[in-house]
Amino acid sequence: MDTQLKYGDWVSFLFQHRALLGFIVKSMPDKQSYVIFVPETGKHYTCPAVMAIPEEPILKKSDVQALIDLSLDLKDEEWFHELSSQYLGIQGASTCDNTT
């Protein structure tokens, strides 16, 4: 199992002939696999470690919203604040400032 990948790392993998992007929420060394949460689908998938490809995603506003919901479900206050700042940055970048 690739020891470089850990909780929170973003990976892509194939599921039913479809490429998915998510992040690792659990490592299962005994089964040489990971549990990966995919914000796009809102679901968890089990992926063999050899199929998980490390990624650096560019998150859309809807992705960050899904992650904020997950952070609330997990009661992870630190992650919630981090994601909220990221969300405000995305939202601020998409608005126009009309200062004439």
Side-chain angles (χ1 to χ4, degrees):
M1 192 160 152
D2 188 345
T3 56
Q4 294 177 349
L5 297 176
K6 61 188 181 318
Y7 179 88
D9 285 349
W10 286 88
V11 295
S12 63
F13 62 101
L14 288 177
F15 179 77
Q16 296 180 347
H17 306 289
R18 182 175 170 212
L20 296 176
L21 177 67
F23 59 92
I24 296 171
V25 294
K26 183 178 180 184
S27 177
M28 299 187 303
D30 56 322
K31 296 184 180 180
Q32 296 187 341
S33 61
Y34 300 108
V35 176
I36 300 167
F37 177 76
V38 177
E40 180 183 357
T41 64
K43 296 181 181 178
H44 292 85
Y45 300 83
T46 300
C47 174
V50 296
M51 299 296 290
I53 301 166
E55 296 286 347
E56 285 293 325
I58 298 172
L59 299 176
K60 298 178 287 193
K61 194 163 124 176
S62 60
D63 296 330
V64 177
Q65 287 172 323
L67 294 174
I68 287 172
D69 290 343
L70 180 62
S71 72
L72 291 170
D73 291 343
L74 296 173
K75 296 177 177 44
D76 189 329
E77 188 175 342
E78 182 180 336
W79 192 30
F80 170 79
H81 289 296
E82 178 184 323
L83 291 166
S84 295
S85 294
Q86 188 173 356
Y87 180 81
L88 292 173
I90 292 170
Q91 192 171 17
S94 66
T95 60
C96 295
D97 185 16
N98 187 7
T99 53
T100 55

